[in-house]
């Protein structure tokens, strides 16, 4: 009966919004000369609408004959150029939607005694700054518009965005978690180089907007076959002193959803959330100084998983894994922009992040009817992660608008200082396993990027070099009856060297758009381990590979456009995926890396269609990906043991095919909605691999496939007197996971925002998972065992926040 009620509620209640700001503009520039190519100063430039000759913009040329007009929207225009003693010239101009800056080819005026100039058509392009742009490959969302998740982490803010789902703390795009996360266009240790770690702890208050790039061009690094998420941090450039201060507090785990099994410590309830933030900016003359500081402190019932495990011999074990987590994440970014002159800018900035995590957990094991406790496992994990980044970037603007050279250098230092203590209580003895891990990561990045506008588009080219090293030292002190081998500790050294070069060409006219690019990467990875390690030896690989991208679009008319995409990308194993040191995932599941893991290469195809009208649009995409050397985590039992070892392997070929659609509609000034749906088919072919650790054993799996998807229906209400409301709901269909399936999930979030103090102040009240329905339910089938899992982790949080702009 309850399920039926939920289904009845679904079409009427699952409403939320991501507000799409429809801002499209281009900077139009060029140069006016006489027949001898000498610049003409003080020539008059007027831009008029083609259909009714309405005035749009005007300017005059400078001493060099150059002119520039900003804020021009895509449309058909007439460009009129005039000057005393010269014939007036008029030419049609089409402004498209691919480049923010483009240069009009040089215009030569003829004196009244000279010959009349032939009129040519000129094509310019513009760039959409928000929403789904006309290229159909990027979606941009302002974090401030996501009212229902204000005051939380970046990960929590992301889970309401169209096209994104969150599963087991990982972001997925179109059902695939091979996502590369960037901060301000760069890979950083805050989110992991080539991965997406730490998103659940970065404060959303530090973020300005989030870009989702499903089909990255060659100018981006080649890793991340599912696409790229680019997190843009806040930075103001208004004149004088200005800034924003905010404070959000909240409570989670408002009640116990599933009672503990006997004999363990209580679950976290009424968990506090505290998020102060400060943004400062000072701009005067040629200097802009900025500072952003945020702190997110949370207590969280991070995990509360109830498992029933059944072995082939009939043994049944019930367990509960509970994890009470305290997290404090402080991040600050400061820097200075120095506009040396009109053509040259130097920016120097630094970022500091400190992430402190303390986990206190319990895991009791009982027999099948929970009448006898077989074992109790308790743990304390104390982690401190420190990140320091320094960035220097230089930009040279050539005289033509949009003609730029960017040079950048980035240094990152990231330290993991982690201590783990695991107490194992048996009926006859007690033992403690103790671990101390220290890892110091250093990364040097250098890049040069060049953009040259053309008459019908632009070219982009550049180089990038990365040198990265991660020496890691694990000290392991085994306790009584420890299940890990005594040589589980030791040293390992990861080294990565990646130079790359890319080129990209973009073309546009009134009917066609095209983008053709290629990235050439050389990758050298070396992983050195302790020579006396009982299982693993030093390993590594290198390759030189091309990564092409292609897009072709045809504009049927001003309302309809179709596009086709192709790109090739790679997912290289992260250092933690090959790390040789075993780590408890729970008391009887041991995670360990695999130095023999190799990259997976993916080819992606997509057909996109967009239909837009005055107050909305419909966007749909049919996509297909196929990967070789698919990276997946394999769990298997060691012979004569109940322990499960989970490690990554290359599982062969896999496929991901789906259809995504987004319908956005403004119904009135008060109400608008957005519906996002995605249905896909995932398949992993049959495969067989040999797991070496802790001793060789063969794992085989039949072909797995499933049809899954998700739907998000989003609404926003703009009431009078600065009052906004948002209601968000998400339904995630059942899906396959490595060696098993995950059941469907559903949640709803609600947010209200009120502007006060003449718009300078703002109060936000929100609640996530208001129906308390988000429960992670899984079924896993391994060799020699199977288990079912229900995770009642914390999903329901209520927050109240205030911010003030000055």
């Amino acid at each position: 009966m309850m399920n039926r009620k939920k289904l009845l509620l679904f079409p009427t209640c699952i409403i939320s919004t991501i507000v799409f700001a429809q801002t499209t503009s281009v900077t139009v520039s060029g140069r006016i000369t006489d027949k001898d190519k000498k610049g003409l100063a003080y020539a008059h430039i007027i831009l008029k609408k083609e259909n009714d000759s309405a005035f749009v913009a005007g300017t005059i040329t400078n001493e060099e004959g150059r002119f520039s007009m900003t804020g021009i929207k895509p449309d058909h225009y007439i460009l009129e150029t005039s000057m005393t003693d010269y014939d007036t010239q008029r030419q049609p101009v089409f402004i498209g939607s691919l480049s923010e800056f483009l240069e009009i080819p040089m215009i030569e005026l003829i004196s009244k005694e000279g010959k009349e100039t032939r009129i040519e058509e000129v094509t310019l392009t513009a760039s959409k700054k928000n929403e789904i742009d006309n290229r159909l490959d990027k979606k941009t969302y302002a974090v401030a518009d996501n009212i229902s998740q204000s005051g939380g982490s970046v990960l929590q803010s992301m889970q309401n965005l169209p096209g994104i789902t969150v599963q087991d703390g990982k972001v997925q795009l179109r059902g695939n978690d091979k996502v590369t996360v960037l901060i301000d266009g760069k890979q950083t240790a805050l989110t992991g180089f080539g991965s997406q770690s730490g998103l659940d702890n970065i404060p959303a208050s530090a973020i300005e907007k989030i870009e989702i790039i499903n089909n990255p061009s060659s100018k981006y690094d080649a890793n991340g076959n599912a696409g790229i998420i680019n997190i843009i941090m806040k930075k103001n450039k208004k004149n004088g002193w200005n800034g924003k201060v905010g404070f959000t507090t909240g409570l989670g785990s408002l009640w116990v959803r599933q009672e503990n099994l006997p004999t363990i410590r209580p679950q976290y309830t009424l968990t506090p959330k505290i998020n102060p933030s400060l943004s400062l900016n000072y701009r005067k003359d040629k200097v802009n100084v900025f500072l952003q500081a945020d702190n997110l402190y949370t207590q969280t019932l991070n995990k509360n998983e109830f498992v029933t495990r059944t072995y082939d011999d009939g043994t049944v074990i019930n367990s509960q894994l509970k994890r009470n987590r305290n997290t404090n994440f402080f991040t600050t970014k400061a820097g200075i922009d120095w506009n040396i002159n009109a053509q040259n800018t130097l920016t120097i900035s630094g970022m500091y992040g400190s992430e402190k995590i303390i986990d206190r957990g319990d895991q009791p094991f009982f027999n099948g009817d929970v009448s006898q406790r077989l074992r109790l496992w308790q743990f304390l994990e104390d982690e401190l992660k420190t990140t320091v980044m320094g960035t220097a970037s230089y930009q040279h603007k050539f005289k033509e608008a949009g003609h730029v050279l960017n040079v950048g250098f980035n240094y990152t230092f990231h330290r993991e200082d982690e201590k783990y203590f695991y107490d194992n209580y048996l009926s006859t003895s007690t033992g403690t396993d103790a671990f101390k891990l220290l890892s110091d990561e250093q990364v040097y990045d250098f890049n040069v990027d060049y953009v040259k506008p053309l008459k019908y588009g632009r070219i982009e080219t550049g180089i990038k070099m990365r040198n990265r090293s991660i020496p890691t030292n694990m000290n392991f002190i085994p306790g009584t009856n420890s299940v890990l081998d005594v040589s589980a500790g030791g040293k390992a050294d990861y080294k990565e060297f990646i130079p790359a070069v890319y080129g990209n060409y973009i073309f546009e006219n009134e009917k066609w758009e095209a983008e053709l690019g290629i990235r050439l990467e050389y990758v050298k990875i070396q992983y050195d381990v302790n020579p006396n390690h009982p299982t693993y030896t030093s390993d590594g690989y290198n390759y030189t590979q091309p990564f092409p991208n292609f897009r072709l679009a045809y504009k049927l008319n001003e309302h309809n456009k179709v596009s086709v995409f192709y790109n090739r990308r790679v997912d290289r194993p992260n250092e933690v995926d090959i790390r040789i040191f075993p780590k408890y995932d729970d008391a009887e599941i041991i995670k360990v890396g695999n130095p023999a893991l190799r990259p997976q290469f993916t080819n992606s195809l997509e057909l996109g269609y967009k239909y837009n009208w005055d107050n909305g649009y419909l966007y749909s995409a049919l996509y297909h990906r196929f990967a070789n050397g698919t990276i997946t985590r394999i769990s298997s039992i060691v012979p004569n043991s109940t322990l499960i070892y989970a490690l990554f392997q290359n599982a062969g070929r896999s496929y991901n095919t789906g259809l995504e659609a987004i319908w956005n509609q403004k119904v009135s000034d008060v109400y608008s909605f957005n519906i996002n749906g995605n249905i896909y088919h995932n398949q992993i072919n049959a495969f067989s691999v040999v797991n070496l650790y802790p001793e060789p054993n063969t794992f085989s799996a039949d072909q797995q496939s499933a049809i899954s998807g998700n739907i998000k229906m989003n609404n926003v209400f703009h009431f009078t007197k600065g009052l906004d409301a948002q209601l968000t709901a998400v339904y995630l269909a059942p899906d396959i996971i490595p060696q098993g399936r995950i059941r469907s999930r559903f949640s709803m979030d609600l947010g209200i925002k009120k502007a006060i103090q003449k718009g300078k102040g703002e109060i936000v009240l929100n609640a996530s998972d208001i129906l308390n329905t988000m429960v992670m339910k899984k079924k896993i089938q391994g060799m020699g065992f199977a288990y079912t899992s229900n995770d009642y982790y914390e999903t329901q949080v209520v927050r109240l926040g205030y911010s003030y702009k000055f």
Side-chain angles (χ1 to χ4, degrees):
M1 189 66 181
M2 179 62 69
N3 291 336
R4 185 178 179 184
K5 288 181 179 179
K6 290 178 182 177
L7 290 173
L8 292 173
L9 283 169
F10 183 75
T12 58
C13 294
I14 47 180
I15 307 171
S16 89
T17 188
I18 305 298
V19 180
F20 301 117
Q22 310 243 0
T23 307
T24 307
S25 63
V26 64
T27 296
V28 180
S29 61
R31 186 167 183 255
I32 311 300
T33 71
D34 60 15
K35 64 178 181 179
D36 296 321
K37 311 302 181 185
K38 180 181 178 181
L40 295 176
Y42 307 110
H44 293 266
I45 313 294
I46 296 176
L47 193 67
K48 301 177 180 179
K49 283 286 189 71
E50 185 182 64
N51 56 354
D52 58 6
S53 296
F55 175 84
V56 175
T59 187
I60 61 174
T61 57
N62 63 14
E63 295 291 339
E64 297 178 339
R66 298 204 59 83
F67 70 90
S68 181
M69 293 180 289
T70 61
I72 311 301
K73 296 182 178 180
D75 208 337
H76 291 80
Y77 298 94
I78 296 295
L79 185 71
E80 183 177 290
T81 308
S82 62
M83 188 174 180
T84 304
D85 298 329
Y86 289 85
D87 287 334
T88 298
Q89 184 183 125
R90 297 177 182 87
Q91 60 191 48
V93 173
F94 166 69
I95 295 182
S97 56
L98 287 188
S99 297
E100 185 180 355
F101 302 95
L102 273 194
E103 177 87 350
I104 290 181
M106 186 175 64
I107 299 173
E108 181 180 313
L109 292 185
I110 303 299
S111 66
K112 291 187 181 294
E113 293 82 14
K115 189 177 180 180
E116 182 180 359
T117 301
R118 179 170 58 92
I119 296 177
E120 294 182 353
E121 180 177 347
V122 178
T123 299
L124 306 177
T125 63
S127 163
K128 276 203 170 192
K129 287 296 188 183
N130 290 289
E131 193 242 321
I132 298 178
D133 68 22
N134 283 342
R135 293 176 297 169
L136 306 182
D137 66 344
K138 180 189 291 187
K139 300 181 279 286
T140 304
Y141 305 100
V143 171
D145 294 330
N146 192 3
I147 308 171
S148 62
Q149 287 290 352
S150 177
S153 70
V154 172
L155 184 68
Q156 292 164 341
S157 185
M158 283 183 180
Q159 64 189 6
N160 288 339
L161 299 184
I164 288 182
T165 56
V166 176
Q167 182 168 295
D168 288 336
K170 280 196 170 185
V171 171
Q172 294 184 338
L173 289 175
R174 298 173 173 175
N176 189 326
D177 65 4
K178 302 301 182 184
V179 178
T180 295
V181 179
L182 310 178
I183 293 183
D184 292 333
K186 304 179 185 69
Q187 293 184 355
T188 77
L190 283 178
T191 57
F193 284 86
S195 64
Q196 47 168 301
S197 62
L199 292 176
D200 200 25
N201 299 318
I202 299 176
S205 57
I207 307 305
E208 180 72 27
K209 58 187 177 181
I210 296 172
E211 296 176 340
I212 302 172
I213 307 170
N214 293 114
N215 297 282
S217 72
S218 63
K219 68 180 180 181
Y220 294 99
D221 288 341
N223 55 303
N225 78 74
I228 291 172
I229 294 177
N230 187 23
I231 299 171
I232 308 297
M233 300 193 73
K234 289 180 177 178
K235 180 180 176 182
N236 208 334
K237 287 192 175 183
K238 294 180 180 179
N239 287 327
W241 280 103
N242 55 85
K244 184 176 181 180
V245 61
F247 183 83
T248 300
T249 186
L251 290 174
S253 297
L254 304 181
W255 50 68
V256 174
R257 295 204 284 174
Q258 182 75 8
E259 294 289 345
N260 277 346
L261 292 179
T263 70
I264 67 172
R265 294 169 294 189
Q267 302 175 22
Y268 264 175
T269 56
L270 299 178
T271 52
K273 323 288 178 184
I274 301 173
N275 176 211
S277 63
L278 173 67
S279 177
L280 289 175
N281 191 85
Y282 178 72
R283 182 181 180 87
K284 186 177 181 180
D285 300 328
K286 295 183 178 182
V287 175
N288 179 67
V289 182
F290 55 92
L291 169 70
Q292 178 73 35
D294 301 82
N295 195 83
L296 180 62
Y297 172 79
T298 64
Q299 292 183 12
T300 309
L301 181 59
N302 178 260
K303 197 173 190 68
N304 194 26
E305 183 180 19
F306 292 78
V307 173
T308 298
R309 187 178 298 143
T310 304
Y311 295 88
D312 288 355
D313 63 3
T315 301
V316 176
I317 295 178
N318 288 295
S319 66
Q320 175 193 357
L321 178 58
K322 172 188 64 65
R323 186 160 58 218
N324 293 332
R325 172 169 289 183
N326 290 19
T327 302
N328 192 81
F329 193 107
F330 173 76
T331 178
T332 182
K333 182 179 181 181
I336 182 171
D337 300 314
W338 178 28
N339 299 312
I340 303 170
N341 52 41
Q343 278 74 45
N344 298 281
T345 302
L346 178 66
T347 297
I348 298 176
S349 65
M351 179 186 292
Y352 172 79
S354 175
E355 180 183 2
K356 178 72 170 180
I357 300 176
I358 296 179
D359 284 335
R360 296 178 178 88
D362 303 76
Q363 188 175 23
F365 293 82
F366 287 83
N367 59 358
D369 61 3
V370 198
S371 61
Q372 179 184 2
R373 194 185 83 183
L374 308 174
R375 176 184 174 199
L376 174 63
W377 189 70
Q378 293 183 329
F379 59 90
L380 170 66
E381 298 185 4
D382 186 343
E383 304 179 26
L384 177 61
K385 299 180 180 180
T386 305
T387 304
V388 179
M389 290 178 55
T391 300
S393 60
Y394 165 76
Q395 182 180 78
H396 174 72
K397 297 179 180 178
F398 297 89
K399 293 181 178 180
E400 303 91 346
H403 187 190
V404 297
L405 175 71
N406 294 302
V407 181
F409 174 78
N410 190 76
Y411 169 75
T412 300
F413 172 81
H414 178 70
R415 167 168 286 184
E416 293 183 38
D417 187 352
E418 306 175 5
K419 295 181 285 291
Y420 310 94
F421 304 93
Y422 300 99
D423 296 327
N424 186 20
Y425 296 95
L426 299 172
S427 57
T428 57
S429 64
T430 299
T432 300
D433 283 350
F435 300 81
K436 165 72 173 177
L437 183 143
L438 184 65
S439 173
D440 285 342
E441 177 178 6
Q442 294 192 78
V443 186
Y444 299 87
D445 280 330
F446 175 75
N447 64 278
V448 178
D449 299 282
Y450 173 78
V451 181
K452 168 67 174 175
L454 304 172
K455 181 179 179 181
Y456 294 106
R458 68 183 185 273
I459 58 172
E460 303 169 331
T461 187
I463 61 173
K464 181 175 181 178
M465 297 188 67
R466 167 174 296 159
N467 190 56
R468 183 180 177 211
S469 63
I470 312 176
T472 304
N473 188 11
M474 169 73 86
N475 183 22
F476 170 54
I477 304 174
T480 304
N481 297 321
S482 175
V483 297
L484 300 182
D485 61 89
V486 295
S487 59
K491 294 182 179 181
D493 193 3
Y494 175 91
K495 295 179 181 179
E496 174 184 292
F497 177 63
I498 307 177
V501 59
Y502 75 89
N504 207 32
Y505 170 65
I506 295 95
F507 168 85
E508 179 183 30
N509 63 22
E510 287 189 313
K511 285 294 184 181
W512 291 95
E513 297 175 7
E515 182 174 5
L516 179 64
I518 190 167
R519 186 179 189 90
L520 186 65
E521 281 191 351
Y522 170 74
V523 172
K524 182 179 181 180
I525 306 294
Q526 180 63 35
Y527 190 64
D528 295 324
V529 303
N530 196 327
N532 59 2
H533 194 280
T535 302
Y536 292 129
T537 59
S538 297
D539 208 336
Y541 60 89
N542 64 83
Y543 63 79
T544 301
Q545 291 276 346
F547 297 95
N549 69 280
F550 171 75
R551 179 180 68 86
L552 183 66
Y554 180 69
K555 307 169 192 175
L556 301 171
N557 51 48
E558 62 178 337
H559 297 293
N560 295 270
K561 187 196 309 192
V562 293
S563 291
V564 61
F565 302 86
Y566 166 77
N567 64 29
R568 180 176 187 261
R569 299 185 67 78
V570 63
D571 289 283
R572 295 183 294 271
N574 300 310
E575 186 267 340
V576 293
D577 299 337
I578 66 175
R579 188 177 285 179
I580 62 172
F581 310 117
K583 179 181 178 181
Y584 287 108
D585 193 39
D586 73 15
E588 296 192 351
I589 299 180
I590 313 300
K591 284 185 177 180
V592 65
N594 178 11
L597 197 62
R598 292 297 182 260
Q600 73 172 37
F601 294 90
T602 304
N603 291 273
S604 300
L605 295 168
E606 179 174 330
L607 178 65
Y609 168 73
K610 184 178 180 183
Y611 173 62
N612 63 80
W613 53 94
D614 289 343
N615 293 313
Y617 66 85
L618 175 66
Y619 163 68
S620 59
L622 179 65
Y623 57 89
H624 176 68
R625 302 188 191 102
F626 51 97
N628 291 312
T630 304
I631 297 174
T632 187
R633 189 177 285 279
I634 302 300
S635 297
S636 61
I637 293 179
V638 175
N640 303 316
S641 170
T642 60
L643 289 178
I644 297 171
Y645 282 83
L647 66 158
F648 282 109
Q649 290 277 15
N650 294 106
R653 199 170 179 88
S654 63
Y655 305 87
N656 172 235
T657 305
L659 175 65
E660 181 180 47
I662 299 175
W663 174 23
N664 192 74
Q665 181 69 50
K666 180 182 178 182
V667 178
S668 68
D669 291 338
V670 174
Y671 168 65
S672 61
F673 68 85
N674 168 274
I675 302 174
N676 167 227
N678 184 28
I679 183 170
Y680 54 85
H681 175 260
N682 281 341
Q683 177 179 312
I684 301 176
N685 286 356
F687 66 93
S688 180
V689 295
V690 177
N691 296 330
L692 295 179
Y693 193 87
E695 58 184 73
N697 65 94
T698 301
F699 176 86
S700 299
D702 296 330
Q703 176 180 298
Q704 290 187 80
S705 66
I707 296 176
S708 185
N710 55 78
I711 186 169
K712 301 179 184 181
M713 300 179 67
N714 311 311
N715 256 7
V716 69
F717 296 89
H718 293 294
F719 301 110
T720 59
K721 299 181 179 180
L723 179 64
D724 298 331
Q726 178 186 355
L727 184 63
T728 306
V730 181
Y731 172 77
L732 306 175
D735 200 359
I736 60 171
I737 54 177
Q739 297 178 256
R741 293 179 179 267
I742 186 169
R743 294 178 61 182
S744 62
R745 289 145 289 158
F746 170 74
S747 68
M748 290 177 56
D749 303 334
L750 174 66
I752 300 173
K753 179 170 66 176
K754 179 69 170 69
I756 58 175
Q757 297 169 298
K758 299 181 179 181
K760 291 188 175 182
E762 186 176 86
I763 296 177
V764 176
L765 175 65
N766 60 40
S768 61
D769 194 18
I770 56 178
L771 299 182
N772 216 15
T773 53
M774 181 60 79
V775 178
M776 195 77 71
K777 298 182 178 181
K778 296 183 288 188
K779 284 190 174 182
I780 302 296
Q781 179 64 56
M783 293 187 67
F785 73 97
Y787 72 80
T788 60
S789 160
N790 295 331
D791 191 355
Y792 298 90
Y793 65 104
E794 178 184 298
T795 58
Q796 194 172 65
V797 180
V798 177
R799 299 184 186 91
L800 177 64
Y802 167 77
S803 62
Y804 181 78
K805 299 176 184 178
F806 56 89

